[in-house]
Amino acid sequence: MKIQIQKPIRSLDEILALAEKLVKQHGPYRVVLSGGSDAVCVGALNLAKNKGFVKPILVGHRRRIDNTFDKLSLSQDGWEINEDKDPRNATINCAKGLLNGDADILMRGKLMARDFIKALLDPELRLKNRGTLWTNIVVVDNPKINRLLLINDCGIIVNADLPMRLRQITKVIEFASFLGIEDVKIALLAAVESISPGMPVSMEEAVISKMCERGQFPEGVAIDGPLSLDLAISPKAVKKKGFKGNVAGNADALVVNNLGIGNLLFKSLITLCGSSSASTVVGLPFPVIFTSRSESPENILYSIAMAILQAGPKAYNLK
Amino acid sequence: MTLKNGDVPLLKTIDDIIDRAREISYGSEPYCLAIAAAHDIAAVEAAILCQKEGIARCMLFGKSKKIKSLLEEQGATPSEFEIVSTRSDKESADGVAMAASEGKANVILKGIISTSVLLRQILNKDYGLRRRGLLSHTAILSMSNYPKLLSLTDGGMVIKPTFDQKVEIIRNSVMVSRAVGVEVPRVAALSPIDYIVQAFPDTFEAAALSKMAERGQIENCIVDGPMSLDTAVWPPAVAYQKIKSPVAGQADILLTNSIEEGNILAKSLIQFSEAKFAGVIVGARIPIALVSRADDAYNKLASVALSVVVAHFIRK
């Protein structure tokens, strides 16, 4: 079952409020944390548990998990803890549990993003075939902007070529629509707005914009690039440069062509720019919470809330 | 070139850079700014501000009629500026290069002229402005949630630096940092993660760059990498990662792997964190200031001021 969001969500606090509503109707969601000794994730789950959002399940190295609880001075009451010392195995077992309906949401804890994704690619799980694309979407809430900004991809796809970017954009459009943002405006980021063969990215982005102009994307969607970041989001910069375009100054989503850029953009926003964020991986049959270690537990709570929205009303909870 | 850091004061904000430039230009002979193709509102604004604020005297090369009318539009008196009439962009570029080579101009500002045309003339052997190294761009940012100036390189010049170019870019940026008083700048070679992994060749280069600095092959700085942005500038991330590094949490210079990375990071900090910034191209015998049409007056002034501070440092 999917929840229907009518009006565009404009802040992460709205996501929190919607999650609260779902939890009121359906009870707490079962979140399974692979790499269960991660202190920040456990801290975040504790916040969510106290709000009645989640029933946490930790999988990992038992002694290290105990240490984490000691360090945070938390009691293990109400926490399900399963020992599995091998992080790869643990992740695979977590995924199996999700597929069996033993949990609702998967969360990455103390293991590297690459290893986490690699484990999920295990053929036994049959999570990924040729047609599926897994990509990371971060939803950013910054006090300077009166709407949510989607950034793709900050953590999974290392280098995207043109076909890959088209698939990513499709995922972004879907996710924006899930957040109630229908006529999404997508900026393809680059260093400058001019197209030059010396910067191959700018050529690709010009092609994608043209495809959108020709109606090769869903109706209502606007895509423009190459755009520099200031032109994408700042109406002031657009005015000063006298720039014309249907995305410039008002972008809802920023799509980058490599992880280096996405990662820097995301990390600058949550460290030096005072933003909040919620982060996920889309393309899997269950919601995935995919956070960065530079986040605080309070910030991760937003990712948990967003995953609850993605999970939607669950049948088992209706019993 | 060996540079002595002697009596360079430590500058902590962009305001400090502007004050310092004023101080340098105040003494016996004011610094002179040569503007290539100055018949543009951004360039004329910068010129007026520089003279008003006592940052530099200005020579404006370009279409003189247009320059005069723009000056008047902005409420300035054209006779207070040295205007040199030129017929083409190439002639403007030649003009500023000649002025620089004769020692009449100390810094160059790019007006409404393509960077490649300007650089071709500046790098022309005849003018003797060329050095052995690479030209690269450094942006210096100042923002409320970082306790010192933060340099970013290269988000404006080198599109996809090779390893050797990264070495040159670090050297150039270290020079800029030293000019603003950071005696041994801490350089973070950025990458998405702090570990060396095969999927990211940039992490190999970052590791090699750190070792080179350790061996003294890149002087006057401490380089560490691969390092993610949060580790480089965000102390809570350092505590969590338990990384031991003289750079982590307190980087002076951030080295990025492509012009997109550098540019988008700088703009993110400017747009979302209201960072003030100044930018300069170094690597030639004379610094070149770049201002964009979208920059506000303050940032235009700041970029010229930074160039003056760098020119003063090179001269010593």
Side-chain angles (χ1 to χ4, degrees):
Chain A
M1 245 191 294
K2 277 262 153 65
I3 56 161
Q4 283 294 317
I5 292 165
Q6 307 296 344
K7 202 163 82 183
I9 298 180
R10 303 194 79 85
S11 73
L12 290 176
D13 284 328
E14 279 178 50
I15 290 182
L16 216 53
L18 283 169
E20 206 153 0
K21 243 186 185 168
L22 272 179
V23 168
K24 260 198 194 123
Q25 288 165 14
H26 305 286
Y29 285 67
R30 296 159 306 175
V31 179
V32 53
L33 175 69
S34 165
S37 58
D38 189 278
V40 184
C41 289
V42 170
L45 284 172
N46 186 50
L47 288 178
K49 181 173 162 283
N50 292 342
K51 285 175 85 79
F53 277 21
V54 302
K55 206 177 143 301
I57 306 160
L58 309 185
V59 182
H61 197 291
R62 181 75 212 209
R63 191 167 43 79
R64 289 188 194 144
I65 294 177
D66 289 345
N67 283 345
T68 301
F69 273 83
D70 286 348
K71 219 170 26 183
L72 298 174
S73 324
L74 284 180
S75 128
Q76 296 186 357
D77 284 351
W79 296 73
E80 184 181 332
I81 298 171
N82 300 324
E83 167 109 54
D84 200 336
K85 281 183 185 159
D86 178 61
R88 181 187 158 82
N89 254 331
T91 307
I92 294 174
N93 287 332
C94 289
K96 278 185 190 158
L98 276 145
L99 293 172
N100 291 339
D102 298 335
D104 308 306
I105 296 165
L106 177 62
M107 183 170 187
R108 173 179 79 106
K110 211 168 186 67
L111 75 162
M112 271 165 61
R114 270 163 16 98
D115 298 338
F116 178 72
I117 295 296
K118 266 195 189 156
L120 294 177
L121 285 171
D122 190 278
E124 207 192 329
L125 292 169
R126 293 195 203 173
L127 282 174
K128 197 169 183 208
N129 58 33
R130 234 138 69 98
T132 52
L133 172 76
W134 296 350
T135 185
N136 160 246
I137 295 178
V138 178
V139 181
V140 173
D141 190 341
N142 182 278
K144 298 231 157 40
I145 289 200
N146 64 352
R147 61 182 182 278
L148 291 174
L149 263 184
L150 274 55
I151 306 177
N152 164 262
D153 175 306
C154 310
I156 292 191
I157 297 171
V158 179
N159 263 311
D161 55 5
L162 185 74
M164 178 69 96
R165 289 189 88 184
L166 296 177
R167 297 170 70 195
Q168 281 179 244
I169 290 169
T170 308
K171 289 283 179 209
V172 170
I173 295 171
E174 279 170 23
F175 198 76
S177 148
F178 163 71
L179 294 176
I181 307 165
E182 282 309 336
D183 296 332
V184 61
K185 293 182 166 55
I186 300 176
L188 309 172
L189 288 191
V192 285
E193 66 277 13
S194 50
I195 292 120
S196 63
M199 294 195 223
V201 181
S202 71
M203 307 278 278
E204 285 181 9
E205 298 190 329
V207 171
I208 300 171
S209 322
K210 201 67 188 176
M211 287 177 71
C212 185
E213 217 181 290
R214 291 279 188 271
Q216 291 175 263
F217 286 96
E219 214 187 316
V221 171
I223 304 176
D224 198 9
L227 281 179
S228 58
L229 179 63
D230 54 340
L231 280 183
I233 55 140
S234 156
K236 218 171 100 190
V238 173
K239 207 173 148 206
K240 266 196 165 158
K241 282 196 184 167
F243 190 85
K244 298 261 174 323
N246 52 358
V247 172
N250 297 304
D252 299 300
L254 310 173
V255 177
V256 300
N257 69 306
N258 81 45
L259 192 150
I261 303 170
N263 194 272
L264 279 180
L265 179 56
F266 160 61
K267 282 184 176 157
S268 70
L269 282 165
I270 62 165
T271 57
L272 296 175
C273 300
S275 309
S276 313
S277 66
S279 176
T280 185
V281 179
V282 296
L284 288 104
F286 41 76
V288 178
I289 302 171
F290 189 80
T291 59
S292 147
R293 55 154 209 278
S294 34
E295 295 182 39
S296 63
E298 290 75 17
N299 198 50
I300 294 177
L301 189 59
Y302 289 120
S303 290
I304 296 174
M306 192 163 81
I308 289 175
L309 256 56
Q310 287 170 271
K314 276 281 178 180
Y316 87 94
N317 275 318
L318 298 173
K319 276 185 235 168
Chain B
M1 184 167 41
T2 23
L3 297 166
K4 291 223 176 69
N5 222 32
D7 52 349
V8 179
L10 177 62
L11 310 179
K12 288 191 172 154
T13 63
I14 299 286
D15 282 338
D16 287 354
I17 293 178
I18 295 175
D19 288 344
R20 173 75 184 143
R22 206 179 274 131
E23 217 175 273
I24 290 169
S25 235
Y26 189 73
S28 49
E29 199 174 311
Y31 269 52
C32 177
L33 169 72
I35 308 178
H39 43 271
D40 172 59
I41 182 73
V44 164
E45 262 181 31
I48 295 171
L49 267 171
C50 285
Q51 292 211 163
K52 196 172 109 198
E53 295 287 324
I55 300 293
R57 204 161 48 75
C58 297
M59 289 170 87
L60 291 78
F61 292 79
K63 296 175 186 152
S64 56
K65 245 194 197 157
K66 179 90 188 282
I67 294 175
K68 279 179 192 152
S69 74
L70 281 170
L71 282 167
E72 278 163 358
E73 262 172 46
Q74 299 292 313
T77 318
S79 61
E80 287 172 5
F81 296 81
E82 190 175 340
I83 300 168
V84 183
S85 178
T86 60
R87 278 164 305 177
S88 68
D89 283 355
K90 187 176 165 291
E91 224 179 282
S92 289
D94 269 323
V96 297
M98 179 68 89
S101 122
E102 289 172 348
K104 283 188 201 153
N106 318 91
V107 284
I108 291 174
L109 174 67
K110 184 182 102 102
I112 187 156
I113 181 174
S114 89
T115 311
S116 62
V117 172
L118 177 61
L119 293 182
R120 201 172 308 134
Q121 297 316 312
I122 291 177
L123 295 179
N124 187 326
K125 280 203 298 286
D126 301 345
Y127 297 118
L129 297 173
R130 185 174 203 147
R131 284 203 299 123
R132 257 187 333 153
L134 173 84
L135 288 184
S136 65
H137 184 263
T138 293
I140 292 195
L141 288 85
S142 146
M143 65 207 103
S144 54
N145 24 16
Y146 200 63
K148 53 184 176 178
L149 289 172
L150 184 62
S151 290
L152 251 170
T153 191
D154 176 334
M157 184 90 204
V158 185
I159 294 173
K160 186 90 184 80
T162 61
F163 181 77
D164 288 338
Q165 287 176 327
K166 283 183 182 174
V167 173
E168 293 294 333
I169 289 173
I170 292 178
R171 287 191 177 126
N172 283 344
S173 207
V174 164
M175 198 265 285
V176 175
S177 269
R178 286 166 61 82
V180 299
V182 185
E183 210 157 330
V184 183
R186 298 163 200 268
V187 185
L190 293 182
S191 84
I193 46 175
D194 300 313
Y195 307 98
I196 289 123
V197 291
Q198 240 169 348
F200 301 109
D202 288 334
T203 63
F204 298 176
E205 297 197 351
L209 287 169
S210 335
K211 206 67 190 173
M212 276 180 82
E214 207 182 297
R215 295 274 190 272
Q217 290 170 272
I218 311 173
E219 288 183 308
N220 299 321
C221 61
I222 305 166
V223 180
D224 198 8
M227 191 173 281
S228 60
L229 177 68
D230 49 341
T231 310
V233 298
W234 196 239
V238 184
Y240 177 65
Q241 264 312 79
K242 298 183 195 102
I243 280 186
K244 285 204 174 56
S245 155
V247 175
Q250 49 174 332
D252 295 297
I253 298 174
L254 304 177
L255 172 77
T256 58
N257 303 295
S258 70
I259 194 169
E260 287 89 8
E261 279 185 27
N263 192 282
I264 291 170
L265 174 57
K267 284 185 174 144
S268 167
L269 297 173
I270 292 163
Q271 294 296 331
F272 294 107
S273 190
E274 284 180 355
K276 293 175 175 174
F277 68 98
V280 63
I281 294 176
V282 291
R285 296 212 178 276
I286 185 165
I288 304 159
L290 270 188
V291 298
S292 148
R293 196 172 285 228
D295 292 349
D296 59 25
Y298 180 87
N299 290 319
K300 285 175 188 147
L301 184 69
S303 292
V304 178
L306 176 61
S307 308
V308 167
V309 170
V310 171
H312 182 72
F313 184 74
I314 297 175
R315 185 189 263 188
K316 282 203 308 179

